[in-house]
Amino acid sequence: MIQAGPSLSYNSPMCKASIKFILFFSVATTLLSFGQADAAEIVTVPAGATVSVEEENYAKASEDAISIAFKNAVRMTVAGLVDEKELAPKREMVEESVISHSVDFVKSYKFLEKKTDNIKGRLELRLQVTLYLGDLRHAIRGAGITPKKRNLPKLIILVEEKTTGLFTENNFLLLKSISEEGLSKGFQDKGYQVADRRAIRKAHMGGIAINAVNRNREAIQKLGAFFEADLILFGKTEVLANKTEKGEHVIAVINLSILSADGQTIASFREEDDGIYDNVLNGTQNTISSATKKVERTLSRAIPKKWRDLKDKSDG
């Protein structure tokens, strides 16, 4: 018989602790698939299970424990997505239509801990489970429950990079951008939905994005509407290098603006970093990364306030 240990209620300390883990550490966003306008949100949560081992079949016990852990991960995430008052009368329906299909929402998982007790014939494991949050929201709506509104804005982030000897002209979307990748990952880790050049390429929106970066207001509005963005971050990173007696003096400068979805520039920032390096390549990567971290810290403080200001203005 499978035993999941003590039942995990939506109001249990373990559940609440895991919800806090969701909110503060784990939400991330992945790329768009072809033809989709919504970014595929994901969330990573810890979940565990304890099962009895029947006839020393540890492989079967492990499969059962993983299945239970998936259900616990989905159950805890659902508890964080909806109000308890709305969930309570429909809990049985949610268990049948959502929780019982937990494997459908699992993107990936990895083991955090796995222990066996041969004397008691038990197997215990803890997993880190990554779930498709968008699909889970959709399933919750299908069960007749309205998920809570997101408390973070959706972002578009595009940062063009110009380094020594590299001329991007109009093809910068096809190239790598260290600063854009750093900002995207940083804000995804903070719980923001982010569309960057990879999502834009997959959605075949490159031409519109280039026009938008060049401040064509109609293109900005089309890009923002397609990705349902609340704020748009456009920037340019420039790197210069000069030989000195001590080595290559490399300077990276990032200029970045926050725009509203209708194309209005609401804030601009500039950060830079420099240093002496043995070669230009290392210097370029290090100075861009350092300057990106600086601008990310600045934006982390600015974006919530600018978004609140926009919402207050629209509500007024």
Side-chain angles (χ1 to χ4, degrees):
M1 177 182 293
I2 299 174
Q3 296 178 339
S7 61
L8 181 62
S9 71
Y10 292 96
N11 290 314
S12 70
M14 182 182 296
C15 183
K16 290 179 179 178
S18 297
I19 293 168
K20 290 180 180 178
F21 184 90
I22 295 170
L23 295 176
F24 290 101
F25 291 100
S26 301
V27 182
T29 307
T30 55
L31 303 180
L32 289 171
S33 59
F34 286 102
Q36 289 181 320
D38 294 328
E41 297 174 86
I42 61 173
V43 60
T44 301
V45 299
T50 301
V51 301
S52 296
V53 181
E54 302 292 339
E55 298 179 354
E56 298 187 355
N57 190 341
Y58 287 94
K60 177 63 165 56
S62 182
E63 291 178 4
D64 293 339
I66 290 171
S67 178
I68 293 171
F70 285 173
K71 288 182 172 62
N72 287 340
V74 171
R75 190 176 288 116
M76 288 185 289
T77 304
V78 168
L81 289 174
V82 302
D83 289 324
E84 171 61 22
K85 289 182 180 180
E86 189 173 1
L87 175 63
K90 298 181 179 179
R91 183 171 284 112
E92 186 175 341
M93 181 187 297
V94 170
E95 287 286 336
E96 292 179 359
S97 63
V98 180
I99 308 303
S100 64
H101 300 280
S102 59
V103 68
D104 295 338
F105 309 108
V106 176
K107 178 180 183 292
S108 62
Y109 70 96
K110 70 177 181 179
F111 286 93
L112 298 177
E113 186 179 21
K114 187 175 183 179
K115 297 188 298 185
T116 57
D117 188 331
N118 295 324
I119 296 176
K120 295 183 179 180
R122 295 191 308 183
L123 182 146
E124 179 182 354
L125 57 77
R126 289 194 310 117
L127 304 178
Q128 180 174 292
V129 185
T130 299
L131 304 170
Y132 287 109
L133 196 55
D135 290 348
L136 196 49
R137 287 181 186 275
H138 182 74
I140 291 170
R141 290 190 186 96
I145 300 175
T146 302
K148 296 176 184 176
K149 291 184 178 180
R150 298 177 179 87
N151 60 357
L152 293 173
K154 296 181 182 179
L155 306 177
I156 294 174
I157 299 178
L158 280 177
V159 185
E160 180 181 1
E161 283 184 3
K162 290 189 175 182
T163 59
T164 302
L166 178 63
F167 300 94
T168 60
E169 295 183 350
N170 292 327
N171 295 320
F172 77 92
L173 289 175
L174 300 177
L175 304 176
K176 182 182 178 68
S177 174
I178 299 172
S179 39
E180 182 179 308
E181 289 179 3
L183 287 174
S184 294
K185 184 178 186 305
F187 281 102
Q188 287 169 0
D189 290 346
K190 290 178 176 67
Y192 290 79
Q193 289 187 76
V194 178
D196 56 16
R197 68 184 59 200
R198 294 171 298 179
I200 287 168
R201 288 199 304 259
K202 283 182 175 290
H204 304 293
M205 296 286 287
I208 292 174
I210 289 173
N211 289 334
V213 169
N214 290 327
R215 297 304 193 271
N216 179 292
R217 192 142 185 170
E218 183 180 352
I220 293 172
Q221 292 172 354
K222 285 183 179 179
L223 191 68
F226 183 86
F227 289 103
E228 296 184 353
D230 298 298
L231 295 173
I232 300 171
L233 279 60
F234 287 157
K236 180 175 291 186
T237 300
E238 296 188 81
V239 179
L240 300 174
N242 296 296
K243 279 188 175 294
T244 69
E245 293 181 357
K246 295 181 179 180
E248 296 283 352
H249 181 214
V250 183
I251 305 171
V253 180
I254 301 178
N255 286 286
L256 191 141
S257 297
I258 302 176
L259 287 73
S260 61
D262 64 0
Q264 178 185 356
T265 300
I266 56 180
S268 296
F269 306 92
R270 182 184 186 278
E271 296 288 352
E272 66 177 70
D273 187 76
D274 74 313
I276 304 296
Y277 297 89
D278 292 335
N279 61 73
V280 174
L281 179 60
N282 287 339
T284 296
Q285 293 175 335
N286 289 338
T287 53
I288 289 178
S289 295
S290 181
T292 299
K293 290 177 182 177
K294 291 179 181 179
V295 79
E296 181 187 333
R297 287 194 292 269
T298 301
L299 290 169
S300 295
R301 295 188 296 270
I303 286 176
K305 183 180 184 305
K306 297 300 179 184
W307 191 46
R308 284 196 302 270
D309 291 345
L310 282 178
K311 289 199 298 182
D312 291 343
K313 188 178 296 184
S314 63
D315 294 340

